[in-house]
Amino acid sequence: MGKLLPKRLGTAGTGDAQLLRKPELLAPAGDWECARAAIENGADAIYFGLECFNARLRAHNFATTELPEIMARLHERGVRGYVTFNTLVFADELAQAEDFLRKIIAAGTDAAIVQDVGICRLIRRLSPDFPIHASTQMSITSEAGVRFAAELGCSVAVLARECSLQEVAAIREKCEADWVSLPLEIFVHGALCVAYSGQCLTSEALGGRSANRGECAQACRLPYELISDGKNVPLGDRRYLLSPQDLAGLDALPGIVRAGVSSLKIEGRLKSPEYVAAVTGVYRRALDKAWAELGPQAEALASSTAVSGKPAASGETPSAQEERYQLDMTFSRGFHTGWLEGIDNQQLVHARFGKKRGVRLGTVKSTTPHGLLIVPEGPVKPGDGVVVDQGRPDLPEAGGNVNAVEPQGKLLFLRLHGDALQRVRIEPGSIVWKTADPALERTLRQSFEVEQPRYKRPLEARTEGADGQPLRLTVWDEEGLEAVAESAQPLETAQRQPLAEAILRKQLGRLGDTPFFLAALDNRLPGGLMLPLSLLNACRREAVERLLEKRRTGQRWTLLSPSDNEADDETKMTAGPEAIPPPSAKANPALIPLVRSLEQLDAALEHPAGDIYVELENPRRYPEAVERVRAAGAGHTVWVAPPRIFKTGEDWIIKQLLGCGADGFLARNHEHLRALAGQRLRGDFSLNVANPLTARWLIERWGLERLTCSYDLNASQLAALLESAPPAWFEVTLHQHMPMFHMEHCVFCAFLSSGKDFRDCGRPCETQSVSLRDRVGAEHPLKADAGCRNTLFNARAQTGAEFAQDLLGLGVRHFRIEFLNESPQEVRETLHRYAALLRGEINGTQLWHELRLVNQLGVTRGTLRD
């Protein structure tokens, strides 16, 4: 009873009808105020983090001890609560992670949002039924990723932000064709990461802070210069080359619903409660409207009050212009549909600024020490905050609060508080932005600083009884929970005014400070009966309170005790290395070069026989690379490294791989695991192997020969992994230019062409050598792959040479040496020096001084020698 009705609609491109359900609206909550803002503005669910293991450590977050109270309050309001457990977890943290997870499950949390494969495995050991949502940090971009998540026991898959609606619909259709019916969640509003979530190593490479551990330093929001073939490319005031506009999927909502999306996620656990209130309210109204207008059953379903809640407060619905203003003012770097409507590299990044702006007020005509004379374009009033944007990130910005607005013909003079304008010379033509509106903030706060519930959810009721029997009142909510109460006295024949349906509706609808409104009444009472209204009201109060108590109790998940898992081999493995056979001390260490050009390959072939990894931008050149290895005749084996991301429609790349004749492949994503099954496979760093549970799943389930340890591991964390699982499972990258940003955004297309994507950009990536120069003068090389995705590499190579002997002692026998733009001679010299290092002929300090490398293993702080 009370469940939302599905709609069966035709899908674009098919003649079949699909069963659609109204998507959940999922809002962020960085603290209690944000949670209230989400609840009172119509969120169906919120997501929030705890003290650790969440990807927004800078948010206030909640304490684990608060979980029971949080969940009771959410459930009373008909709102689900999901805990973000969306970071990688290291081997020496698994015991702590298990303790956190037990508390999360016991508190009746509705789900955990998880990035780490090993944590999914751990949750399933602890509870067979607790819901897991596969985080966007899992980089799910195709149906293979959804199947991967389903096999791990996930109940929802959060797709990468880079998926278009066409790709989302295709993923859903292909999954359903294979009987994989995992609900799909996408982001619809908020900040866009320029890099694929779960694949960004920039903060770590530059500052020792891991984005996969909740410590993103937002290097994408900084200015860069574009260098092409050694020359600076003049871009005017466009300096923020990696800072996307914020996502706004408002206009795309009908298409999102038609694509079969089950949950609409709003970004913003670091944002203010006013932001949460505004965005949740705007999307609540838009989603309800889009749902009501869909399909042939729209009119009937729109009239069913059981399909959504409603605000209790009266008042006019904001206009579209007013709603856009709220979105702009609460947080905006400019809005765009992101990748929802496909790739448009000219629109995604405007590159003028990388921080919050708000509403554009106009341009500067002239200035005085006390204010700005502007050509107005937007509304402004005393009390608003403004800032002047000169398109010069090297200059401090001027601005302040408006004391007075003085019309001067068609111009406006903004008299500002303080002396901010006296410190900066402002050029005419500079843009003025409104960055704060205290009046709007007060209005938004009023939406959630309320004594009684503002947003109410539907309640349905049924009345039954007969003369001489108690009135029986049954109530139920939209989730199907129900409660029953009976009147303290029996019904009797009415002498004057019987209980007509109008009276029942009025009295049962007096739900006051409860979180309900009466959506429907099924009156089964015979006519001509009466009951004192005081008893009817008491019956209503009792039934509603019983229903609320059921809601507060929430779902109770199975939670197994530690003894239930004593026979679990995985549990034994995470307890320590004693059950693992020691590595053979006789095995010779092997260097595995990864090369990115045929010239580097020729140089690597001069090294003693062994494995060589080859990564080329054009997969059609792999047969030539394989032929060169075969022609060398020195016993080398060649392994191909495909693109890190696979998206629907890129099967041609898989065909090229299978036909190139390579000895094996580096599996870098979910599609490689499935499509290349039966081939020799090794897992690459992009699979984010940080603990033994993840390693075991990939080795045993997917038949991988070996795994590259995650680049998030520092030396001590790497040691913990090697001590908790067979060292023979792993190889360690000892030398590389760290791949920092890996992104769908194509800098070549956006700033070296006028095209939208690969179809009209002219392919400047094939003819120009490009790098991005940062604020300290480092020039980071930029490369494109076969899918037109870009990777920005660290300008300087780094080495873990000083840790090589410790790693050998821990059992590591396979070391990767990655090359980027090095010449053939540099490849020869580097391999020669590392071979000498592993033989003990030179030490690590000598090597990194000789090669002028950054002395660093992994990207987070730490050392093997504690």
Side-chain angles (χ1 to χ4, degrees):
M1 288 182 287
K3 287 289 186 180
L4 302 184
L5 295 175
K7 297 183 182 181
R8 193 172 292 276
L9 298 173
T11 302
T14 73
D16 299 328
Q18 281 188 315
L19 194 66
L20 299 181
R21 292 190 177 275
K22 189 175 186 180
E24 163 191 82
L25 183 61
L26 176 58
D31 56 26
W32 274 112
E33 275 202 311
C34 290
R36 286 195 295 270
I39 293 168
E40 300 301 348
N41 284 278
D44 296 311
I46 68 168
Y47 63 103
F48 57 93
L50 301 175
E51 302 99 316
C52 58
F53 300 121
N54 87 82
R56 289 292 183 270
L57 289 181
R58 290 187 291 126
H60 290 141
N61 294 311
F62 293 86
T64 310
T65 54
E66 296 179 274
L67 267 178
E69 179 188 0
I70 294 169
M71 297 314 304
R73 289 171 65 173
L74 289 176
H75 289 157
E76 181 177 270
R77 297 300 303 275
V79 176
R80 292 173 288 280
Y82 308 140
V83 169
T84 54
F85 209 95
N86 55 344
T87 65
L88 298 184
V89 177
F90 303 139
D92 54 1
E93 297 174 325
L94 287 175
Q96 181 189 13
E98 179 173 337
D99 181 63
F100 262 72
L101 288 168
R102 287 188 174 278
K103 292 173 181 175
I104 290 168
I105 297 167
T109 307
D110 292 295
I113 304 171
V114 178
Q115 172 187 13
D116 196 299
V117 168
I119 294 301
C120 293
R121 301 291 293 162
L122 178 56
I123 290 174
R124 277 295 157 264
R125 278 215 330 256
L126 301 177
S127 173
D129 55 4
F130 178 68
I132 305 170
H133 293 185
S135 169
T136 191
Q137 296 280 117
M138 279 195 184
S139 309
I140 297 175
T141 57
S142 70
E143 63 276 10
V146 178
R147 290 169 66 96
F148 183 89
E151 195 167 340
L152 282 170
C154 296
S155 53
V156 171
V158 186
L159 299 182
R161 292 172 173 89
E162 290 80 0
C163 292
S164 69
L165 288 184
Q166 184 177 2
E167 290 164 341
V168 172
I171 290 170
R172 182 172 182 259
E173 290 172 9
K174 290 182 179 181
C175 287
E176 290 182 346
D178 289 338
W179 300 95
V180 179
S181 57
L182 207 62
L184 304 180
E185 179 180 303
I186 67 168
F187 281 86
V188 292
H189 191 92
L192 279 176
C193 298
V194 73
Y196 273 90
S197 294
Q199 300 297 319
C200 184
L201 297 164
T202 311
S203 296
E204 309 161 13
L206 298 179
R209 296 167 54 178
S210 169
N212 279 327
R213 297 278 290 175
E215 298 176 313
C216 174
Q218 295 193 311
C220 53
R221 304 300 180 185
L222 299 176
Y224 294 88
E225 296 177 81
L226 184 65
I227 310 300
S228 177
D229 295 332
K231 297 180 180 179
N232 193 309
V233 179
L235 295 173
D237 61 1
R238 295 191 298 166
R239 295 283 301 279
Y240 295 86
L241 309 184
L242 302 178
S243 182
Q245 298 188 73
D246 290 343
L247 170 64
L250 201 61
D251 295 338
L253 275 184
I256 291 172
V257 176
R258 285 186 178 277
V261 175
S262 296
S263 182
L264 311 182
K265 191 169 195 172
I266 298 166
E267 181 275 339
R269 281 193 291 132
L270 292 173
K271 302 293 199 312
S272 69
E274 290 83 1
Y275 166 90
V276 176
V279 179
T280 303
V282 168
Y283 277 83
R284 175 78 276 161
R285 292 184 289 273
L287 176 58
D288 290 346
K289 179 182 178 183
W291 180 252
E293 292 175 350
L294 276 177
Q297 302 175 11
E299 184 177 349
L301 289 172
S303 66
S304 170
T305 52
V307 299
S308 65
K310 67 177 183 180
S314 60
E316 295 183 1
T317 300
S319 66
Q321 183 178 1
E322 290 170 332
E323 290 188 329
R324 173 59 190 254
Y325 178 79
Q326 290 184 13
L327 298 180
D328 277 329
M329 286 309 305
T330 49
F331 198 95
S332 168
R333 299 181 182 93
F335 285 126
H336 183 52
T337 53
W339 292 279
L340 290 176
E341 295 178 346
I343 296 173
D344 186 342
N345 287 300
Q346 296 301 324
Q347 295 296 319
L348 181 70
V349 176
H350 57 58
R352 275 194 49 85
F353 48 82
K355 62 179 70 172
K356 172 188 173 183
R357 279 301 187 233
V359 171
R360 179 167 169 150
L361 290 183
T363 55
V364 174
K365 183 74 172 177
S366 63
T367 66
T368 76
H370 306 292
L372 304 165
L373 186 65
I374 70 168
V375 180
E377 299 176 27
V380 61
K381 60 186 179 299
D384 289 345
V386 300
V387 69
V388 180
D389 174 9
Q390 302 195 73
R392 291 280 305 277
D394 52 315
L395 294 178
E397 292 185 338
N401 292 327
V402 177
N403 281 346
V405 179
E406 303 169 3
Q408 295 187 11
K410 294 183 178 181
L411 306 179
L412 288 180
F413 182 74
L414 307 183
R415 190 173 297 278
L416 302 187
H417 178 77
D419 61 353
L421 298 182
Q422 300 176 26
R423 297 191 298 268
V424 178
R425 184 174 183 272
I426 297 174
E427 297 290 338
S430 298
I431 299 172
V432 182
W433 298 89
K434 184 200 292 192
T435 56
D437 183 343
L440 173 63
E441 291 175 9
R442 286 192 296 270
T443 299
L444 292 172
R445 292 197 73 83
Q446 290 169 4
S447 75
F448 61 88
E449 289 184 341
V450 291
E451 294 183 1
Q452 295 186 2
R454 176 178 178 271
Y455 188 85
K456 298 199 170 192
R457 296 189 176 273
L459 181 77
E460 299 185 48
R462 182 172 62 246
T463 51
E464 301 169 288
D467 192 4
Q469 297 179 0
L471 179 142
R472 180 182 177 86
L473 174 63
T474 305
V475 296
W476 62 90
D477 65 13
E478 57 193 330
E479 297 298 323
L481 290 175
E482 70 173 45
V484 179
E486 294 187 348
S487 60
Q489 294 180 15
L491 293 157
E492 57 185 53
T493 302
Q495 298 302 316
R496 288 181 300 173
Q497 190 173 14
L499 284 178
E501 184 164 320
I503 295 176
L504 288 169
R505 284 186 178 277
K506 179 180 179 181
Q507 297 303 315
L508 296 179
R510 295 176 63 184
L511 293 166
D513 60 357
T514 76
F516 301 115
F517 69 92
L518 184 63
L521 172 63
D522 177 12
N523 179 26
R524 300 184 183 181
L525 289 177
L529 298 179
M530 66 83 63
L531 186 74
L533 295 185
S534 61
L535 297 181
L536 177 60
N537 292 338
C539 192
R540 181 201 67 229
R541 287 192 294 269
E542 182 180 351
V544 170
E545 182 52 43
R546 288 178 178 176
L547 179 60
L548 286 173
E549 185 56 38
K550 283 190 176 183
R551 285 161 69 109
R552 293 185 199 106
T553 302
Q555 178 71 48
R556 288 293 175 254
W557 312 109
T558 304
L559 183 57
L560 303 176
S561 67
S563 61
D564 294 326
N565 291 313
E566 285 182 355
D568 192 321
D569 289 337
E570 282 186 309
T571 306
K572 291 181 178 179
M573 188 176 71
T574 61
E578 60 273 0
I580 302 170
S584 171
K586 297 180 180 179
N588 292 323
L591 283 181
I592 306 172
L594 185 147
V595 298
R596 290 187 168 94
S597 71
L598 295 178
E599 292 74 21
Q600 290 179 347
L601 174 60
D602 289 338
L605 286 170
E606 299 175 17
H607 193 70
D611 298 329
I612 299 177
Y613 296 159
V614 181
E615 180 176 7
L616 303 177
E617 178 183 343
N618 186 352
R620 294 182 175 88
R621 301 195 69 184
Y622 281 127
E624 181 182 355
V626 172
E627 182 60 31
R628 290 194 184 203
V629 175
R630 301 286 183 255
H636 291 282
T637 57
V638 56
W639 294 67
V640 161
R644 276 167 69 181
I645 295 294
F646 174 92
K647 293 181 74 174
T648 300
E650 295 180 350
D651 305 81
W652 70 272
I653 297 177
I654 300 296
K655 292 179 181 178
Q656 292 290 330
L657 298 175
L658 291 173
C660 74
D663 295 294
F665 303 92
L666 289 185
R668 291 178 151 178
N669 56 53
H670 309 115
E671 186 69 24
H672 297 158
L673 295 174
R674 189 168 297 276
L676 300 176
Q679 307 292 317
R680 293 182 67 186
L681 294 178
R682 294 173 185 166
D684 206 1
F685 72 95
S686 51
L687 297 181
N688 286 327
V689 178
N691 60 63
L693 298 181
T694 300
R696 182 169 188 166
W697 173 251
L698 292 170
I699 290 284
E700 296 185 353
R701 165 61 185 89
W702 297 99
L704 304 185
E705 295 182 8
R706 203 159 58 235
L707 299 164
T708 307
C709 300
S710 167
Y711 292 168
D712 280 282
L713 299 172
N714 63 31
S716 59
Q717 294 151 357
L718 178 57
L721 175 60
L722 296 170
E723 290 168 349
S724 62
W729 285 1
F730 304 106
E731 66 183 50
V732 174
T733 300
L734 209 56
H735 173 107
Q736 66 172 321
H737 291 265
M738 182 67 70
M740 300 192 302
F741 295 110
H742 186 63
M743 48 198 173
E744 194 76 25
H745 169 51
C746 182
V747 175
F748 294 93
C749 178
F751 300 106
L752 292 173
S753 85
S754 59
K756 293 171 58 176
D757 58 26
F758 70 94
R759 289 168 293 193
D760 59 1
C761 70
R763 306 287 295 181
C765 57
E766 295 180 353
T767 59
Q768 300 182 51
S769 176
V770 171
S771 61
L772 300 188
R773 181 186 292 149
D774 65 19
R775 295 182 301 172
V776 299
E779 294 188 14
H780 305 289
L782 186 74
K783 298 289 186 181
D785 68 13
C788 288
R789 285 170 277 276
N790 287 189
T791 304
L792 189 70
F793 292 87
N794 200 342
R796 293 185 64 188
Q798 67 184 50
T799 181
E802 285 203 313
F803 304 108
Q805 292 305 314
D806 297 309
L807 293 169
L808 285 168
L810 287 167
V812 178
R813 291 297 179 268
H814 299 93
F815 297 92
R816 187 192 299 189
I817 310 297
E818 288 201 4
F819 299 102
L820 184 62
N821 290 329
E822 289 86 352
S823 68
Q825 182 55 36
E826 289 173 318
V827 170
R828 296 184 189 96
E829 180 182 347
T830 301
L831 289 175
H832 173 74
R833 302 309 286 162
Y834 274 100
L837 173 74
L838 295 184
R839 290 194 299 267
E841 297 170 4
I842 60 173
N843 61 42
T845 303
Q846 287 176 272
L847 186 145
W848 73 263
H849 276 307
E850 288 178 11
L851 298 182
R852 298 181 180 180
L853 306 174
V854 177
N855 182 27
Q856 185 179 15
L857 176 66
V859 286
T860 51
R861 296 182 181 92
T863 174
L864 269 173
R865 305 186 185 95
D866 293 328

